[in-house]
Amino acid sequence: MTNEPGGTCLGGKSLLLTAKPDFVPDKITLLPDNIANQIAAGEVIQRPASAVKELLENAVDAGATEIKLIITDAGKALLQVIDNGSGMSETDARMCFERHATSKISTIEDLFHIRTMGFRGEALASIAAVAQVELKTKRNEDQTGTYIEVENSVVKKQEPVAASNGTSIAMKNLFFNVPARRNFLKSNAAEMRHIVDEFTRVAMSFPHILFTLTANNQQLFHLEAGSLKQRIVQLLGNNYNAKLVSVKEETDYMNIYGFAGKPETAKKTRGDQYFFVNNRFIKSAYLNHAVMSAYQEMIPADSFPMYVLFIDLDPTQVDVNVHPTKQEIKFEDEKIVYAFVQAAVKHALAQFSVTPTLDFELDASIQQLSSIQQPFTDEKKSSAASGSIFKGFTQKHQAHFIEKSDKSELKHWRDFYEGGQKSESPEHNEASSSLGIVNSPLGDGGTQLLNTYIAVPSKNGFLLIHQQAAHERVLYEQLKAASKDKPVATQRSMFPSTLELTPADAAVMEEIIGDLQYLGYTIEPFGKNTYDGK
Ligand code: ADP
Ligand code: MG
């Protein structure tokens, strides 16, 4: 402390004031805790799903064997996690809402030996800054538990309470005090999708823990403790059951285990791809590339294989503290990890003979057929080609004959294009056809390009319309207009079609089923993620 003019203490400041008649006040102040916490919360809690991740991870860190997640209104109204883990003492229950309050590390060295999911001590402080929180917790060794209510970083109530061992944290009205951020939340269906994603990642990583997810009083997941394979099937759907190849390699430096989907499970959309490093879900384009390269030539270039892979290595070899939500990490030696992942997946696929040509076995009775046993000579070829069966297959009228797409696709599109006349355009010439340009059936100068676009002359040049997108937009506008005043009239189909959804999609379906009904689709739950569309 100093009393010299220009010093940092208050005394110094008053001296400075007398020295300067044209006083300009200082402008720096320390933010109050609740505002500092609200700002910090921006990094950790972006949406209900972020709180799901943090609260589930805390329950896992507390050694729980049963963890229940309860959601109302896609987590906007209520998001609660109940666990049977270690619980907290009365003092800890109060401390846990302070910023940088953690029981998981105490020195900087600890940071490099992390085995817990959390360590930054900011999740509960962040949640308490942007929601109304009710905590109930009790340790095994205590007679009574503790109940605490926190709102806007301020403790509103604290009292002893009868409770079972473990912890229940309820987060209510997320962002009630930050309306701008509340407005940024997406529809319930979108927020629910994020919640199911986070739930899936944590539940996948700890198959020996029982997890349940209940949304709006309906249980969407009930995951009994079991093996990793059982957990994958519970979470991603039964159709993976017979289509998983086990991946397992161990070295002194690192271990890898988990499952990779057989090539036939590859999908057009990226989705069921999971990497866990020391049980933490991570996103890594680099390691994803390693897996993709192991599948090379087994799957189409634009498709994505399923995988759930766990990499375990010495925590000193990874830095998990490079991202606020820890979804990105840094490896000490990224190249070794890449090579190891690639080799392990390649090996697994080869070991199970999962190659495109060897992936099926011919039935013995089929192998006995003369058509397979005897050579197919030229003579046989020409007699077969003149037979009526062969002709039937080559003719236009066979059942599965598909009309060339340039016409059939255009037909639907044309129905929505007003004013179109159906005369053939005379301008068609050979040059344009070699460019993939065909005659316009619109007859108004519209020309189809590359089977995808329609070029339509306009005053200043031409419009390029993406056929498929235009068609979808027209349907969308029709539905929107039709549903404006009253629900769209529904016509029941004679035979309802049954849809089996993945568990994650089924969870979202529950959120949107009312809207679909409004748009004229009667969809009824049929049990086990199956729905009847009528
Ligand atoms: P971190 O997990 O990074 O330590 P959090 O803010 O998530 O930070 O939690 C703060 C502390 O509160 C934890 O370190 C832990 O001691 C305690 N805690 C939080 N959730 C639970 C729980 N479900 N059961 C027992 N203790 C918990
Ligand atoms: Mg935590």
Side-chain angles (χ1 to χ4, degrees):
M1 290 282 239
T2 166
N3 268 339
E4 294 299 307
T8 49
C9 77
L10 276 174
K13 196 165 156 188
S14 59
L15 278 178
L16 198 69
L17 273 182
T18 47
K20 277 198 170 183
D22 50 343
F23 166 59
V24 181
D26 301 325
K27 54 189 178 186
I28 299 177
T29 57
L30 271 180
L31 287 174
D33 271 359
N34 63 332
I35 298 186
N37 283 342
Q38 270 182 16
I39 293 170
E43 289 206 315
V44 188
I45 306 296
Q46 279 129 20
R47 50 171 20 113
S50 336
V52 166
K53 172 182 185 289
E54 297 296 337
L55 296 178
L56 291 180
E57 288 186 350
N58 279 349
V60 169
D61 284 346
T65 56
E66 289 188 22
I67 302 177
K68 293 178 190 146
L69 171 61
I70 299 167
I71 304 282
T72 308
D73 200 12
K76 296 171 187 172
L78 169 77
L79 197 156
Q80 183 174 17
V81 172
I82 304 171
D83 70 54
N84 65 349
S86 63
M88 283 179 262
S89 70
E90 192 187 339
T91 313
D92 285 350
R94 204 164 164 134
M95 264 297 277
C96 72
F97 293 109
E98 297 292 330
R99 201 137 54 103
H100 312 304
T102 181
S103 56
K104 297 168 192 172
I105 59 168
S106 50
T107 68
I108 195 70
E109 274 76 49
D110 292 347
L111 200 57
F112 300 98
H113 300 95
I114 290 287
R115 286 279 176 198
T116 51
M117 305 308 286
F119 58 84
R120 293 166 60 113
E122 50 190 12
L124 292 185
S126 299
I127 290 172
V130 292
Q132 295 154 336
V133 180
E134 294 171 15
L135 163 73
K136 201 161 123 180
T137 187
K138 180 177 116 46
R139 300 184 300 180
N140 193 16
E141 56 268 40
D142 295 336
Q143 287 295 317
T144 47
T146 307
Y147 175 81
I148 293 185
E149 268 179 38
V150 193
E151 185 179 306
N152 219 355
S153 300
V154 175
V155 176
K156 293 267 154 177
K157 193 174 185 181
Q158 175 167 356
E159 60 192 24
V161 70
S164 41
N165 294 337
T167 302
S168 154
I169 299 191
M171 179 186 97
K172 294 181 172 171
N173 304 320
L174 178 62
F175 300 138
F176 78 101
N177 51 351
V178 206
R181 300 197 53 202
R182 192 161 173 102
N183 292 341
F184 265 106
L185 293 179
K186 298 266 175 2
S187 69
N188 280 7
E191 294 299 342
M192 199 58 207
R193 162 71 70 190
H194 287 290
I195 287 174
V196 171
D197 283 352
E198 292 294 354
F199 175 83
T200 301
R201 292 164 183 175
V202 180
M204 186 89 85
S205 186
F206 299 96
H208 59 279
I209 298 177
L210 181 151
F211 285 90
T212 62
L213 166 53
T214 305
N216 302 327
N217 295 321
Q218 212 178 341
Q219 193 169 72
L220 301 179
F221 287 90
H222 181 99
L223 311 173
E224 291 289 344
S227 68
L228 173 61
K229 187 168 178 180
Q230 286 166 332
R231 186 55 56 94
I232 291 174
V233 171
Q234 287 170 326
L235 284 167
L236 303 184
N238 233 339
N239 46 336
Y240 280 124
N241 204 358
K243 294 174 182 161
L244 300 177
V245 171
S246 167
V247 178
K248 190 169 172 57
E249 303 286 341
E250 296 187 350
T251 65
D252 285 346
Y253 185 72
M254 61 187 281
N255 300 335
I256 185 169
Y257 67 93
F259 293 91
K262 292 184 180 175
E264 76 240 40
T265 64
K267 290 186 187 169
K268 284 278 173 212
T269 50
R270 193 188 294 272
D272 300 333
Q273 301 188 328
Y274 298 86
F275 264 119
F276 299 89
V277 173
N278 293 347
N279 274 333
R280 190 185 300 286
F281 172 81
I282 58 145
K283 288 181 177 158
S284 167
Y286 186 67
L287 292 189
N288 178 61
H289 188 271
V291 179
M292 292 301 278
S293 69
Y295 274 91
Q296 219 173 27
E297 281 166 21
M298 290 190 193
I299 57 172
D302 55 351
S303 65
F304 302 93
M306 172 272 186
Y307 59 81
V308 179
L309 295 172
F310 289 79
I311 295 168
D312 281 350
L313 77 175
D314 187 337
T316 56
Q317 295 297 308
V318 261
D319 188 352
V320 287
N321 194 28
V322 294
H323 189 263
T325 65
K326 313 175 199 96
Q327 284 200 353
E328 284 159 32
I329 60 170
K330 234 177 105 213
F331 291 102
E332 187 70 23
D333 192 338
E334 210 173 34
K335 284 197 181 114
I336 292 188
V337 183
Y338 182 100
F340 188 73
V341 168
Q342 185 191 38
V345 176
K346 256 191 185 167
H347 186 202
L349 293 175
Q351 211 176 10
F352 286 79
S353 306
V354 188
T355 62
T357 44
L358 299 176
D359 198 27
F360 65 93
E361 283 162 24
L362 274 185
D363 192 292
S365 60
I366 293 178
Q367 300 214 29
Q368 298 307 314
L369 291 177
S370 59
S371 49
I372 299 219
Q373 298 268 311
Q374 291 163 14
F376 195 44
T377 59
D378 280 348
E379 216 175 310
K380 283 187 180 164
K381 258 187 227 169
S382 63
S383 80
S386 60
S388 64
I389 297 179
F390 181 82
K391 280 188 178 154
F393 271 109
T394 54
Q395 274 161 13
K396 203 179 163 179
H397 310 293
Q398 58 187 291
H400 60 272
F401 175 76
I402 297 167
E403 219 182 324
K404 255 183 85 192
S405 62
D406 56 42
K407 282 187 189 145
S408 62
E409 275 176 23
L410 210 56
K411 237 190 255 164
H412 302 295
W413 189 85
R414 188 175 56 206
D415 292 343
F416 296 101
Y417 194 90
E418 280 176 356
Q421 295 151 30
K422 289 167 189 166
S423 65
E424 287 284 318
S425 154
E427 291 110 288
H428 179 215
N429 60 33
E430 279 181 11
S432 64
S433 80
S434 70
L435 284 169
I437 300 172
V438 298
N439 263 357
S440 162
L442 299 169
D444 56 1
T447 298
Q448 196 197 21
L449 299 168
L450 303 170
N451 261 346
T452 307
Y453 301 98
I454 309 272
V456 186
S458 74
K459 241 203 230 141
N460 305 323
F462 68 91
L463 293 170
L464 200 58
I465 299 169
H466 189 280
Q467 258 175 265
Q468 177 77 18
H471 185 178
E472 284 167 11
R473 182 63 195 236
V474 169
L475 290 177
Y476 172 76
E477 292 295 341
Q478 281 181 343
L479 276 173
K480 209 167 98 177
S483 67
K484 232 179 196 150
D485 315 312
K486 52 183 173 27
V488 174
T490 306
Q491 188 188 9
R492 287 204 157 225
S493 49
M494 192 125 66
F495 304 103
S497 52
T498 305
L499 297 170
E500 194 188 340
L501 301 181
T502 62
D505 284 343
V508 175
M509 176 66 102
E510 292 298 329
E511 284 292 334
I512 61 171
I513 209 162
D515 292 341
L516 289 174
Q517 172 97 38
Y518 204 77
L519 292 175
Y521 294 93
T522 308
I523 297 177
E524 286 166 7
F526 205 63
K528 279 208 144 203
N529 302 326
T530 305
Y531 292 83
D532 257 0
K534 293 179 179 163

